[in-house]
Amino acid sequence: MFETLLPIILAGLMNGSFVIPSKYVKGLNDDAIWLRHCIIALIILPGIILTIVAPESITIYFLLPKITNICILLSGVIFGFGQICFMMAIKKIGVGASFSVNLGIGTAIGSIFVVLYKKMLFSYSGFFVSLSVLLVITSLFLYYMGSKPTKDILPFSCSKQTSFSFLGWVLAAIAGGCSGLQNVAFTTIFFSTTALVKSSNPFWIWPLFLLGAALPMAIVFYYRSHKNYIHKIDLDIYTFIKNIFLITLMGVCFTGSLAIYSTTMKSLNDYLQLFAWPAFMISIILAAQFWGTIEAKRMAIPRNQIYIMSSIVILVLSIVFLGLYSR
């Protein structure tokens, strides 16, 4: 079974690492980097990947009711606003905390909706999903306590240039709420669409969805990149090519992870799919925590380390419960 889930784990590691190449881009401010990432990862790559992995799925958009396509596009717009908050949160509280808050809240909202949608709240599954949501809340509280600085010690998951920021946590929470609404939209669409759509490669939904996400992101990051523009930096050809490669790598890690996950899920039976989603989410969390630790210039005091390690263990446990009992 482990070998079967290896692509899923790889996809999670890619997704949890997609922001890292941005740290090595030279001569561009953060907003300019995210603007280029938005164009490559959310507009260009999804269509190319869909054409390669599932060209037959392109016709699905023409078979769906117009209202369904509109819902996919609008849910993408909401997700895009969440991604703006998420990327701002990374700058304020670091990779590890931003991913944990975003994924924790997003999966909790999505899973609770599935239980309510299937009218399973007072069932065996509903009990474990409710327990999992409480574990998510506990996990985030512990992470919050572990991230608060003591004296002059910086947060465990923050870089030397960042400090503890309540606003960063709020931004990450908003991103998680938008991700949760995305899960709600996906659940509704897949439960209501035809057997033909359900049997196709699930990646079909992403190009239109990511196009919707690109709309607010492109506008905001274009405005911010020009607002924060200071002076032009003449880049040599090597640095220019390197920057293009790194930003493209970000897109490949983000959008490519969705393609790998979707394509692999289509080939798994129902039993393995129960483990695939938790494996994907846990891989994202662990990758983000790894990079968050590397990113830290100084480790937190042992007490804070205990808080954060406990938070990660609890969050992983909650993801497992959600994967097994909310599907």
Side-chain angles (χ1 to χ4, degrees), residues 132-155:
S132 299
V133 172
L134 291 176
L135 289 176
V136 168
I137 295 172
T138 302
S139 169
L140 297 181
F141 174 76
L142 290 174
Y143 208 119
Y144 180 84
M145 295 302 296
S147 297
K148 295 181 71 172
T150 302
K151 297 181 180 179
D152 64 338
I153 303 297
L154 292 177

Side-chain angles (χ1 to χ4, degrees), residues 32 43 51 90 113 122 128 134 141 182 204 210 216 232-233 247 260 295 311 326:
I43 299 176
T51 303
I90 289 175
F113 175 79
F122 299 105
F128 275 99
L134 291 176
F141 174 76
Q182 166 220 325
W204 69 265
L210 293 177
K232 183 177 179 181
I233 299 177
I247 296 173
I260 293 173
E295 183 184 35
S311 167
S326 67

Side-chain angles (χ1 to χ4, degrees), residues 19 89 105 120 123 144-145 161 176 188 203 215 227 231 251 291:
V19 301
I105 293 177
M120 299 188 309
S123 66
Y144 180 84
M145 295 302 296
Q161 288 74 31
T188 304
F203 187 75
L215 297 178
K227 180 183 177 181
H231 63 280
W291 293 117

Side-chain angles (χ1 to χ4, degrees), residues 8 40 51 97 121-122 159 192 199 225 272 289 292:
I8 296 289
I40 293 174
T51 303
L121 183 60
F122 299 105
S159 67
S192 60
S199 63
S225 64
L272 289 175
Q289 296 308 316

Side-chain angles (χ1 to χ4, degrees), residues 180-196:
L181 293 177
Q182 166 220 325
N183 293 333
V184 168
F186 279 17
T187 299
T188 304
I189 290 167
F190 276 103
F191 276 139
S192 60
T193 49
T194 63
L196 173 63

